[in-house]
Amino acid sequence: MESKLQAIRGMNDLLADQLPYWRLVERAARELFADYGYQEMRVPLVERAELFQRSIGEHTDIVEKEMYSFEDRGGDLLCLRPEATAGLVRAAIEHGLLHNQKQRLWTAGPMFRHERPQAGRYRQFHQIDCEAFGYPGPDIDVEIVQLSARLWRKLGIQDVALRVNSLGTPESRQRYRALLVEYFGRHRASLDADSLRRLESNPLRILDSKNPAMRELVADAPLLTEHLDPRSQAHFEQFRDLLSGCGIAHEVDPRLVRGLDYYTRTVFEWTSAALGAQDAVCSGGRYDGLVQQLGGEPTPAIGWALGIERIVGLLQAAGIAAAARAPAVYLVLSGDPALRAGLALAEQLRDALPGAGMLVNMDGGSFKAQLKRADRSGAVLALIIGDDELARGVAAIKPLRAGTGQQECSLVELPLRVAALLRDAGTMGKDDG
Ligand code: ATP
Ligand code: MG
């Protein structure tokens, strides 16, 4: 036997029983974005590697070791997108969307990072991404947090907490960076290999270290929030004040830095204790310099991204049910003439009962076998047509769930009768998305 091919490690197949959870999340987000006036955009999964090098930053985990970069047949250095913001900014500039305009945008889809696969951390994962361009905030900073908070409510997710911080301006960060280098430099002997490397390239990332051995040292490091420029300080205070004003609980975490270089001022992260080690469900922040850095006009901007896998994990951990919709009707057809008439009838019923869901029995079988399949399908009604029914121009209707008995109905009246029965059973037009 040939050896079986397997999926790439860290790239998951989503089987049918998982999809209802995904649709739940995607539909809730889609509805909320529409409610808040955010428009959907879709950009390619592949971009020039340079786009991510220039936006995310050379000395970040993503660019240093997580990018799926490759040379294509034309010799261009390309990359599977590790995140959505850079591509959206590229597209917004390219299509002039930021020229004297503000934009509220969203997108969703797969992202690719060559990370060590583990629960909640994959190499192909999926994000929903929210971005606002042209608004200096802090009002919009609050709005995008409100949107995320409402998404949790809509989905019934409770165990999430919001941490916020301000990264200031590039200038204030530069001054703070010098303080950090000085501090960690004094404790060089206690730094792990990752942190030593970051000390030269990106010392702020040391604060984000996931190594418990670094915790104490990080705890005593100077705090960014104590070295903010006055305008960033005011922005941060107003952001927090407005958040509190709309009842969004949050905690200031002066060590919250984001894994990407482009952030300025507001940063935030929603985490959940229900998730274990990979506890970040949604992360975001302001990136006022990025549009200009990628060749556009200076444009303030802010956004967040949530990991769909982790949200789905939360829904499942909370025992929230999501199941695919069962078909409402199962058509049992016995004999060639009935098959012929039945296939045509099925289309008429689908015209008459859109959204009901109808399975037509395939590949024959005895009445008994077909009815067994009908039952397993979860359908509410079985419609049965054999030679005898066909000769009399009727179908037998067998309720599969309720206790009521079987009845007959002429084929002409069948759509109306089925609609009435389904209405009584409360299953018309139900859709899981
Ligand atoms: P983490 O600290 O978990 O590595 P991150 O800072 O790299 O997250 P972002 O780049 O801000 O994450 O991405 C936003 C969200 O996408 C995260 O909050 C998380 O929910 C999700 N996410 C990030 N990387 C992965 C991954 N490899 N697999 C699954 N989800 C991910
Ligand atoms: Mg990461």
Side-chain angles (χ1 to χ4, degrees):
M1 213 163 72
E2 301 280 338
S3 67
K4 284 191 197 132
L5 292 174
Q6 290 189 325
I8 312 286
R9 216 159 80 83
M11 303 204 177
N12 300 319
D13 298 313
L14 296 172
L15 303 189
D17 62 343
Q18 289 289 308
L19 261 298
Y21 289 94
W22 286 66
R23 282 198 293 267
L24 201 68
V25 176
E26 288 161 357
R27 186 175 52 184
R30 179 179 297 278
E31 285 172 4
L32 283 193
F33 283 127
D35 284 351
Y36 282 73
Y38 286 68
Q39 291 183 297
E40 184 179 7
M41 239 172 89
R42 298 186 190 184
V43 293
L45 303 195
V46 180
E47 299 269 0
R48 288 181 197 289
E50 184 194 351
L51 172 65
F52 303 111
Q53 284 153 0
R54 272 172 60 186
S55 57
I56 296 170
E58 290 286 353
H59 301 292
T60 56
D61 284 354
I62 293 181
V63 171
E64 272 176 355
K65 51 189 189 198
E66 295 174 1
M67 294 223 294
Y68 275 92
S69 312
F70 60 96
E71 204 175 287
D72 79 353
R73 287 168 194 275
D76 291 325
L77 190 57
L78 306 182
C79 182
L80 303 187
R81 65 180 185 190
E83 54 101 48
T85 304
L88 283 175
V89 171
R90 195 251 332 121
I93 297 170
E94 190 168 330
H95 299 281
L97 304 184
L98 306 178
H99 191 68
N100 295 328
Q101 299 174 71
K102 299 177 192 300
Q103 299 285 352
R104 286 178 166 101
L105 302 174
W106 72 277
T107 197
M111 308 294 156
F112 302 85
R113 297 184 195 174
H114 197 272
E115 305 205 61
R116 190 170 70 76
Q118 51 195 296
R121 193 173 290 289
Y122 309 104
R123 290 180 169 173
Q124 173 175 327
F125 62 102
H126 297 75
Q127 289 185 336
I128 295 174
D129 197 76
C130 166
E131 315 281 354
F133 295 103
Y135 303 92
D139 46 5
I140 195 92
D141 308 27
V142 175
E143 179 178 276
I144 69 166
V145 173
Q146 280 178 314
L147 203 165
S148 59
R150 182 174 293 275
L151 183 58
W152 316 143
R153 286 203 298 282
K154 197 173 165 95
L155 290 170
I157 291 174
Q158 281 171 336
D159 297 326
V160 283
L162 177 64
R163 292 179 302 135
V164 301
N165 193 20
S166 175
L167 298 182
T169 59
E171 296 73 38
S172 63
R173 201 146 82 221
Q174 206 55 35
R175 286 196 298 275
Y176 172 67
R177 185 185 194 277
L179 291 176
L180 268 191
V181 171
E182 196 267 329
Y183 170 80
F184 286 119
R186 269 192 281 127
H187 298 88
R188 192 176 274 272
S190 325
L191 294 180
D192 63 11
D194 258 354
S195 303
L196 265 179
R197 196 165 38 83
R198 288 171 177 158
L199 183 59
E200 311 300 332
S201 58
N202 191 353
L204 261 75
R205 289 282 285 142
I206 302 179
L207 301 178
D208 202 22
S209 170
K210 301 208 163 68
N211 179 358
M214 295 290 302
R215 210 164 279 157
E216 226 171 279
L217 194 58
V218 165
D220 289 336
L223 295 180
L224 181 49
T225 24
E226 287 168 5
H227 300 275
L228 287 181
D229 55 289
R231 287 187 56 208
S232 296
Q233 182 72 41
H235 186 114
F236 190 44
E237 275 165 20
Q238 206 190 348
F239 169 61
R240 295 196 51 212
D241 183 52
L242 291 171
L243 269 187
S244 302
C246 37
I248 297 182
H250 60 277
E251 189 189 317
V252 176
D253 178 354
R255 282 171 204 87
L256 178 66
V257 295
R258 307 280 317 112
L260 296 74
D261 274 357
Y262 53 56
Y263 287 108
T264 51
R265 293 197 169 147
T266 310
V267 288
F268 59 88
E269 186 157 87
W270 290 97
T271 52
S272 171
L275 279 179
Q278 315 309 329
D279 64 350
V281 290
C282 174
S283 330
R286 178 161 285 285
Y287 49 95
D288 291 338
L290 183 62
V291 175
Q292 189 175 24
Q293 193 178 312
L294 291 179
E297 298 293 312
T299 308
I302 187 166
W304 54 245
L306 68 77
I308 303 184
E309 283 83 354
R310 294 186 193 175
I311 302 293
V312 165
L314 280 183
L315 293 176
Q316 290 172 336
I320 293 170
R325 179 181 55 128
V329 177
Y330 193 99
L331 203 49
V332 172
L333 302 170
S334 179
D336 283 346
L339 175 64
R340 195 183 158 77
L343 282 173
L345 176 71
E347 288 304 304
Q348 288 165 22
L349 286 170
R350 289 185 173 114
D351 286 341
L353 307 168
M358 171 150 25
L359 272 188
V360 179
N361 184 78
M362 292 287 138
D363 200 23
S366 67
F367 272 123
K368 195 171 159 212
Q370 293 196 37
L371 279 170
K372 214 166 173 178
R373 289 178 204 152
D375 192 48
R376 269 205 308 264
S377 76
V380 180
L381 302 175
L383 304 182
I384 304 165
I385 306 179
D387 292 340
D388 171 49
E389 285 81 7
L390 195 60
R392 292 186 292 120
V394 300
I397 304 176
K398 183 178 166 63
L400 296 169
R401 311 292 146 200
T404 54
Q406 194 163 317
Q407 52 180 289
E408 263 186 16
C409 176
S410 77
L411 294 178
V412 182
E413 285 166 39
L414 197 58
L416 276 180
R417 178 82 63 88
V418 169
L421 289 169
L422 291 180
R423 225 175 354 258
D424 290 349
T427 53
M428 269 300 283
K430 265 197 193 152
D431 191 357
D432 71 344

